[in-house]
Amino acid sequence: VPIETLTRGTQHETVNYVKRLMHECAPGGGYIISSVHSVMSTCRWENYMAMLWAAKKFGGILLYKNESEKINSFSQNASEMI
């Protein structure tokens, strides 16, 4: 996802970008979704969370370091997404 979308875009724009990526790139699997190269300090937290939410909703599996990371990232934020 372009850094411009994560820093200056809206949650809606971020979700739509990820949804389009999933449609165009994900058939058959073998993809990784992330920010362009890193998560910049200027990225809007809600856009980053929208990217993860949309990847799960439209694409499939997310990997986490541990179960508590997974619970913290989605239980608090998923209900706020679009």
Side-chain angles (χ1 to χ4, degrees), residues 5 18 22 25 32 40 60 79:
T5 303
V18 171
M22 292 295 119
C25 302
I32 296 173
M40 307 286 288
S79 63

Side-chain angles (χ1 to χ4, degrees), residues 1-50:
V1 176
I3 204 70
E4 293 82 15
T5 303
L6 294 175
T7 57
R8 293 184 219 123
T10 64
Q11 286 180 338
H12 185 72
E13 291 169 334
T14 303
V15 168
N16 283 338
Y17 193 94
V18 171
K19 188 175 181 180
R20 183 174 57 85
L21 281 176
M22 292 295 119
H23 177 73
E24 294 176 3
C25 302
Y31 65 91
I32 296 173
I33 189 162
S34 69
S35 64
V36 175
H37 56 78
S38 64
V39 180
M40 307 286 288
S41 63
T42 56
C43 287
R44 295 176 63 207
W45 174 252
E46 55 272 12
N47 288 350
Y48 184 76
M49 294 308 297

